[in-house]
Amino acid sequence: MVRDVYAADDALCGADSVRPARGDFRFVVEADADPDVLARVAGPLSIANVAPFGVVLRSSGQGTVIIEIDLRGIPEATAESICRKMTQLTCVLSAEIRRTAAASTDPPARETR
């Protein structure tokens, strides 16, 4: 929710404690198999200001790659913004986001000695 200061919108005054709901998202991107494709696709991820939880890049065998990127704990509006920015890249053929269940993707705990 954004306050429209030019329209004298005071509906959110004092609502600083309201935070957008956060979620876990997977970005699935199909792009041209260029040498710099991973770096180009990673650029818009900086909007989230979180490190990716996981990244998988695989070749489709037809001059394109599929990149799956998992981000955790980001607002849905941020995920949508990242996806829009990815679709604007010239190397990207398609991009979509999916809400994920983080509990099922947690790696097993490591033992330390």
Side-chain angles (χ1 to χ4, degrees):
M1 298 171 88
V2 177
R3 182 175 155 206
D4 187 353
V5 294
Y6 298 106
D9 181 3
D10 292 331
L12 294 178
C13 283
D16 292 335
S17 63
V18 176
R19 292 187 179 178
R22 294 178 176 269
D24 302 327
F25 298 92
R26 173 170 291 153
F27 298 85
V28 180
V29 180
E30 181 181 11
D32 294 329
D34 296 331
D36 64 345
V37 69
L38 188 57
R40 292 178 69 189
V41 169
L45 297 174
S46 64
I47 296 169
N49 199 28
V50 297
F53 180 74
V55 177
V56 175
L57 183 144
R58 65 182 185 278
S59 174
S60 68
Q62 300 177 358
T64 62
V65 294
I66 304 295
I67 306 169
E68 296 180 4
I69 306 161
D70 292 333
L71 295 182
R72 289 188 168 177
I74 65 171
E76 186 170 357
T78 301
E80 291 171 355
S81 178
I82 290 169
C83 192
R84 280 193 306 272
K85 293 203 176 295
M86 284 183 180
T87 59
Q88 294 172 351
L89 297 172
T90 56
C91 63
V92 171
L93 304 172
S94 68
E96 64 180 56
I97 52 174
R98 300 174 186 160
R99 189 173 282 274
T100 61
S104 64
T105 60
D106 285 338
R110 291 185 181 180
E111 289 185 27
T112 56
R113 296 181 194 202

